[in-house]
Amino acid sequence: MTSRPAVPPVVLASTFVFEDAESMARSVQERTPHLYSRWSNPTVEALEAEVAKLEGAEGCVAFGSGMAAVHAALLAATEGAPALAVQREIYGGTHELLGFATWPCPVSRFSLVDAVDAAAALPEGAVILLELPTNPIVRVVDLEGVRAAAPTATIIVDATFASPVFSRPLEHGADLVVHSATKYLAGHHDVVAGVVSGSDLDAVWRVRKVLGAVLDPAAAYRVWRGLRTLKLRVRQQNATAELLSARLEEHPRVTAVHHPSLPSHPDHGRLGGVLSAGGGVFSFDVPDPSAVLNRLTRFELAPSLGGTNTLITSAAGVTHANVSPEEQAEAGISQGLLRVAVGLEDAEELWADLEAALSQ
Ligand SMILES: Cc1ncc(COP(=O)(O)O)c(C=O)c1O
């Protein structure tokens, strides 16, 4: 009789010990078995295998943060590429990274609404970075259109806001998919992590090995455990987001609501394609955002998303504070826009809290 642990052991070893000199030398050449935890680690590998399954990918490389994952995907893909084209409506940290790092090719921007035309105008072999859906007004880029317009491009999709439950971009034309695993994948506000999935990951792995932005094994275990409940969590979060956004749209003090489940949303028609549901984030406009924030008791005032607790934040004042007012307006972000990242609380309790905060 044999048995095995029901969950992956947390292997904290930084280095691995060999029985003989030949095996040690072989592990350097063949990257197996484990040699050193900046190269690979059993607990991190257990997580990577689960994420690859969720994405329908051949492999996955995990990182110490979502930003490290975005950085590695971009560095790996742009090596020898003639151009990097980036969707304008992306996470602020990624904006900052693009200005901060030095890239081996020219960097250009395009708006999500012009993505297909922008992709068609790129040179062969360019790199395209997309984010799907966008923050905070939950727009959905036409990934399949971009793929058709740029058949030789390397397309990277940051699908953090979708989770692999609602979007598997590799099946719709992406070459690499990135997540801040800090959000839905881990799901409990207790870890910072990132993942890159795809089929040809040698260059991504090499960036991790060289720059050392590895995921700690104990953190990898927490993300692995989060994945056990991912589907249940995101389905409930999406159902609550749909209910709250539909009710808010009827509320007289709310001037706009953004969630793809609403027929009024410009990308409602894209649901069912690259994105099967809008997910747990929505945003809405009110004339007095600070007053509404201060009256809420069941919503926590915080900027992240994807965890067990419902979080709410101002978009203009917090998540997009480093974006100029003109760019905010272009991205549909008004001064009164509040972004909600739904957690696992009872939907009716959240609604009662929102209604009370709006009616005072
Ligand atoms: C879409 C998106 N990508 C990347 C990141 C960066 O992830 P991390 O905070 O895990 O470094 C974030 C963080 O909020 C994000 O929202």
Side-chain angles (χ1 to χ4, degrees), residues 115-279:
V116 174
D117 290 344
L122 288 170
E124 300 252 307
V127 178
I128 302 174
L129 176 64
L130 306 173
E131 198 171 296
L132 170 168
T134 63
N135 173 24
I137 59 167
V138 208
R139 294 292 313 259
V140 187
V141 68
D142 179 5
L143 171 57
E144 286 173 350
V146 170
R147 172 81 284 165
T152 62
T154 300
I155 302 178
I156 306 170
V157 176
D158 181 336
T160 298
F161 275 63
S163 89
V165 179
F166 296 140
S167 184
R168 305 215 309 175
L170 298 172
E171 291 171 359
H172 298 270
D175 298 288
L176 294 173
V177 56
V178 176
H179 284 268
S180 164
T182 313
K183 312 295 177 351
Y184 289 107
L185 299 184
H188 292 75
H189 312 285
D190 59 1
V191 61
V192 174
V195 287
V196 181
S197 305
S199 53
D200 183 4
L201 292 171
D202 278 358
V204 173
W205 177 81
R206 187 160 168 266
V207 172
R208 184 181 69 178
K209 187 192 77 161
V210 172
L211 296 186
V214 287
L215 183 59
D216 180 78
Y221 176 74
R222 291 202 294 285
V223 183
W224 183 94
R225 188 171 58 179
L227 293 182
R228 299 307 242 188
T229 54
L230 176 69
K231 282 192 185 139
L232 290 171
R233 287 187 283 105
V234 298
R235 283 182 187 146
Q236 180 172 332
Q237 286 162 329
N238 176 66
T240 303
E242 287 189 0
L243 181 138
L244 296 180
S245 52
R247 288 189 186 169
L248 281 172
E249 206 173 37
E250 301 296 313
H251 199 286
R253 300 215 34 237
V254 174
T255 51
V257 187
H258 309 278
H259 191 263
S261 62
L262 299 169
S264 59
H265 191 278
D267 300 320
H268 181 64
R270 278 218 172 101
L271 280 187
V274 66
L275 189 71
S276 63

Side-chain angles (χ1 to χ4, degrees), residues 32-102:
T32 183
H34 300 290
L35 173 77
Y36 185 63
S37 280
R38 182 159 47 75
W39 292 45
S40 67
N41 170 281
T43 316
V44 176
E45 242 178 43
L47 166 66
E48 291 167 339
E50 288 302 313
V51 174
K53 254 194 267 168
L54 278 167
E55 295 287 7
E58 273 173 39
C60 166
V61 181
F63 290 84
S65 69
M67 283 317 301
V70 173
H71 184 208
L74 286 172
L75 268 187
T78 52
E79 200 179 337
L84 167 61
V86 181
Q87 183 185 310
R88 199 164 283 138
E89 305 84 353
I90 51 164
Y91 172 58
T94 307
H95 260 298
E96 200 177 342
L97 169 68
L98 288 161
F100 178 80
T102 307

Side-chain angles (χ1 to χ4, degrees), residues 244-321:
L244 296 180
S245 52
R247 288 189 186 169
L248 281 172
E249 206 173 37
E250 301 296 313
H251 199 286
R253 300 215 34 237
V254 174
T255 51
V257 187
H258 309 278
H259 191 263
S261 62
L262 299 169
S264 59
H265 191 278
D267 300 320
H268 181 64
R270 278 218 172 101
L271 280 187
V274 66
L275 189 71
S276 63
V281 173
F282 67 91
S283 54
F284 65 102
D285 246 306
V286 284
D288 52 348
S290 298
V292 172
L293 286 178
N294 288 331
R295 283 185 212 123
L296 288 165
T297 59
R298 296 301 309 258
F299 293 62
E300 290 172 345
L301 274 52
S304 194
L305 67 132
T308 53
N309 302 5
T310 298
L311 309 180
I312 188 164
T313 180
S314 150
V318 179
T319 58
H320 290 68

